[in-house]
Amino acid sequence: MGRLSSLVKETAIYGVSSILGRMLNWLLVPLYTQYLLPDEYGIVTELYAYAAFLLILYTYGMETAFFRFTNKLKNKQDFILNQSQASILVSSVLLSTMLILFATPITNYLEYPGKEKYIIWFSVILAIDAIVAIPFANLRLRQKAKRFAWIKLVNIFLNIGFNLFFIVLCTYIVTQTRESSLKNIIDRFFNQNELVDYIFISNLIASGAVLIIFTKEIIKIRIRLNWDLLKEMYKYAFPIMIMSLAGVTNEMLSRAVLKKWLPEGFYTEYSNQAALGIFGAAYKLSVFMTLSIQAFRYAAEPFFFSRAKDKDSRELFSSVMFWFVVFGSIILVVIVLNLDIIGFLFLRNEAYWDGLIVVPILLLANLFLGIYY
């Protein structure tokens, strides 16, 4: 029971950053649904769906491989850390360079002509998020859950803060009829007709701040790749990447392809872009289950590796599964019974309410996915 309570304690600390932090981030949904039309929110939904797929390719299972090999070769932990970080750094720079070079064809395919800036911003965000993945994994390995939590919260609060600054404060100031020096300053960099831009810019600023926090760890990297070790790590990581792509396909494929696959005019009241925005906003209401699973995984992955060889590991993991299903089922029932109230509170435009029908299905699907993990 002592080992199980240790897992519960770490899950609670990680939950501060993942559940509380992402819950705060989730509170941006009322903001977006109030200020953005479904067509505009459809852009946000689609690009973040593609970003989820790309982030898997950027990290290619290296986090889990890092856990595996540092536990396997305990006397070479620093060497494995450097190799993992160097590999991610090199690949991230290469992938982001390719995205930037092909920005125009990508925006044309997505039907956002002239919006190459979206691809450039996302290529930088993805590279940063991939580069800091190994430092975050190292904190988990060393059981520095508190440092992990506060860095994650810094990222969340900066993202929320800049969203509020741009979308609420700047919009309020520039729409005032009375001229002022503050209004003149904000008019120089803010365009109220391009609110989607500032969602991505806020994310970029928040990710950049995390990179700065990890500067000390990152500047220690030596780009001297040991291919014998990395081949073994890649061999281990590749199936994990495929599995992760399968998982993100379950969660994100609907949002990535809905606009393309939906027959034009299928919904008489909405365009395909607007339908995607409505679906994306409703999807956010399944976040409670998703975040619970995420917090659990942060603590469980290193826990499972460290306890795998124990004699009573089967009984221990069985107990973990039992309580996971109990708490997941409670979350599902509570949300479904209060769905009308939750929808009214968090989807501020009635146009988004048509998507509430999908929420119970998504909650149950996420519970099953958690059991699979």
Side-chain angles (χ1 to χ4, degrees), residues 21-68:
R22 290 281 298 277
M23 274 289 292
L24 291 171
N25 205 356
W26 179 71
L27 293 176
L28 289 172
V29 174
L31 176 70
Y32 294 157
T33 55
Q34 180 175 344
Y35 283 86
L36 300 180
L37 296 173
D39 295 78
E40 295 172 310
Y41 194 64
I43 299 172
V44 178
T45 299
E46 183 175 24
L47 290 181
Y48 275 110
Y50 281 114
F53 281 98
L54 287 170
L55 189 58
I56 300 297
L57 298 178
Y58 268 76
T59 54
Y60 46 87
M62 189 56 78
E63 291 171 273
T64 309
F66 169 74
F67 284 128
R68 167 64 175 169

Side-chain angles (χ1 to χ4, degrees), residues 89-141:
L89 179 61
V90 171
S91 60
S92 295
V93 171
L94 292 174
L95 286 169
S96 288
T97 300
M98 290 178 61
L99 282 177
I100 292 171
L101 290 175
F102 290 95
T104 298
I106 292 171
T107 53
N108 289 338
Y109 170 78
L110 295 174
E111 300 174 14
Y112 306 134
K115 297 293 185 180
E116 285 83 359
K117 58 186 178 182
Y118 292 166
I119 307 304
I120 295 170
W121 292 338
F122 268 95
S123 67
V124 176
I125 292 169
L126 286 166
I128 293 174
D129 288 352
I131 289 168
V132 301
I134 298 300
F136 272 125
N138 191 42
L139 291 178
R140 292 163 58 195
L141 177 73

